[in-house]
Amino acid sequence: MRPSSAFFLLFCLLLFFSQASFASQVDTLRLRSYLLKITETPQARQYQHLASLNQVADYLRSEFLKNSSRVTEQVYRVNNQEYRNIICSFGPEDKPRIIIGAHYDVCQDQPGADDNASGVAGLLELSHLLAQEELNYRVDLVAFTLEEPPFFRTEHMGSFVHAQFLKKQQIPVLGMISLEMIGYFSDQKHSQQYPLKPLKLVYGSKGNFITVVQKWQAGTFARQFYRHVKQQALLPVKKFKGPAKIPGMDFSDHLNYWRMGYSAFMITDTSFYRNPHYHLPTDTLETLNLTKMGLVLETVYQALIHFNSNG
């Protein structure tokens, strides 16, 4: 073997093993265990089944406490019932905050594996990864309740309660990231739909990418963080930027941070534009691609760490 060939082979081996080690930071077996715990409740975790919602909230709190001593609850009342946001914090207490959120309730009686156990499992995995990090900013991982109908777009959404609290208390917030359905992927042609048909010519017909959704004038944080996402991406990432009135643009918890004037965006597999199990009993763990879901979370984690270092 020529020296140049040996050097090239050694370089390829080093690259392979460094990438394998890098990708292994997110544990798909751990993701699966999170998803099982979140989806397998006696009744669906919707607002009418408070015991199941509380079971999931208690589980999230216990998992967060494994990675941080700073776990709090934001309790509020709706129709004489108490509902709970669960918050896990990292980094300096008094520094500006980055909010990463996902809702743990479901729409009606269905397991909601992608919508939105996937996003909440992502919060738990991020808490595991952030446990040993030295951060320049405060990071709050927030599991929201009551995102789904009949409370969507109302002041009873957990994310509205949280965003309004930040605003009223004048707490410095750099920006917010909503993890909304991050586990469903397909390499089949025509598996990806769009709110406007011509977009298929730009983004393609295969649902094999993750999307960063931003409105016009998304703000400094959204622009800067997306740059880090693109630099660290371990799977195809596509940005969709447009007016908030396009159907689906504001269909998650980032909506309420927009309302309060914060820079916010959504990371999503595009929900009902791709996943045929949306809001159906067939939205089960078996339909998710945990490997690609792990790559999404690794990308978010690495982007967060690079943002923390470079802004």
Side-chain angles (χ1 to χ4, degrees):
M1 181 182 293
R2 293 180 299 173
S4 59
S5 300
F7 176 80
F8 178 74
L9 178 60
L10 178 61
F11 174 79
C12 290
L13 288 171
L14 289 172
L15 181 62
F16 172 80
F17 285 114
S18 65
Q19 288 180 334
S21 174
F22 178 78
S24 68
Q25 292 184 84
V26 171
D27 188 331
T28 55
L29 291 178
R30 197 161 50 227
L31 284 179
R32 182 177 178 82
S33 70
Y34 298 152
L35 289 162
L36 284 170
K37 284 288 189 178
I38 296 168
T39 58
E40 293 188 350
T41 52
Q43 293 178 299
R45 57 189 192 280
Q46 51 122 312
Y47 76 102
Q48 293 174 309
H49 301 151
L50 193 57
S52 290
L53 269 183
N54 283 331
Q55 177 180 320
V56 173
D58 289 340
Y59 169 70
L60 298 177
R61 180 182 175 87
S62 67
E63 288 297 313
F64 279 147
L65 282 169
K66 294 177 182 179
N67 302 313
S68 173
S69 61
R70 294 157 58 196
V71 178
T72 59
E73 296 188 11
Q74 187 176 38
V75 181
Y76 65 100
R77 296 187 68 84
V78 179
N79 299 331
N80 295 319
Q81 300 279 7
E82 287 190 346
Y83 296 91
R84 304 151 66 193
N85 292 331
I86 311 298
I87 305 166
C88 180
S89 301
F90 299 90
E93 187 75 31
D94 58 349
K95 292 293 186 178
R97 304 183 190 190
I98 297 171
I99 311 299
I100 306 178
H103 70 90
Y104 65 90
D105 63 316
V106 296
C107 181
Q108 300 180 341
D109 291 334
Q110 47 110 354
D114 196 25
D115 186 15
N116 186 33
S118 63
V120 180
L123 295 183
L124 295 180
E125 184 64 10
L126 287 173
S127 77
H128 180 85
L129 297 174
L130 289 172
Q132 305 302 321
E133 292 290 344
E134 293 291 332
L135 298 174
N136 296 319
Y137 306 110
R138 173 167 166 169
V139 176
D140 282 358
L141 306 177
V142 188
F144 303 117
T145 190
L146 301 191
E147 188 267 0
E148 296 285 6
F151 301 110
F152 185 65
R153 295 195 188 282
T154 75
E155 295 183 1
H156 297 316
M157 291 176 71
S159 54
F160 183 93
V161 173
H162 184 257
Q164 185 182 58
F165 170 81
L166 295 173
K167 191 70 173 181
K168 285 185 175 180
Q169 298 298 315
Q170 299 183 333
I171 294 172
V173 174
L174 290 173
M176 186 269 181
I177 304 166
S178 175
L179 301 181
E180 176 65 52
M181 303 180 64
I182 58 170
Y184 189 88
F185 298 86
S186 175
D187 288 315
Q188 297 295 316
K189 289 184 177 180
H190 311 300
S191 58
Q192 182 66 52
Q193 305 302 316
Y194 300 92
L196 303 172
K197 289 186 178 180
L199 292 174
K200 188 174 289 189
L201 299 176
V202 178
Y203 294 99
S205 69
K206 295 180 180 180
N208 58 0
F209 57 89
I210 200 70
T211 310
V212 172
V213 178
Q214 298 180 3
K215 68 174 182 176
W216 296 126
Q217 298 179 329
T220 301
F221 172 79
R223 290 194 303 271
Q224 291 179 342
F225 201 92
Y226 174 71
R227 185 176 71 247
H228 292 295
V229 168
K230 285 294 290 183
Q231 291 172 349
Q232 304 303 320
L234 297 175
L235 77 169
V237 175
K238 301 186 181 183
K239 180 170 72 170
F240 185 83
K241 193 171 186 178
K245 65 181 180 180
I246 293 177
M249 285 285 292
D250 63 355
F251 281 13
S252 191
D253 293 295
H254 60 297
L255 160 70
N256 292 310
Y257 296 84
W258 286 353
R259 286 178 173 177
M260 300 299 164
Y262 297 121
S263 181
F265 63 92
M266 173 172 59
I267 295 178
T268 180
D269 60 23
T270 74
S271 183
F272 52 84
Y273 289 116
R274 178 187 304 175
N275 191 336
H277 308 289
Y278 174 75
H279 282 186
L280 294 174
T282 51
D283 182 9
T284 61
L285 173 57
E286 290 70 29
T287 65
L288 304 187
N289 186 323
L290 298 189
T291 299
K292 289 191 175 182
M293 180 177 159
L295 295 179
V296 173
L297 294 170
E298 185 71 48
T299 297
V300 172
Y301 168 64
Q302 292 296 332
L304 184 63
I305 296 307
H306 280 77
F307 181 93
N308 177 70
S309 300
N310 306 301

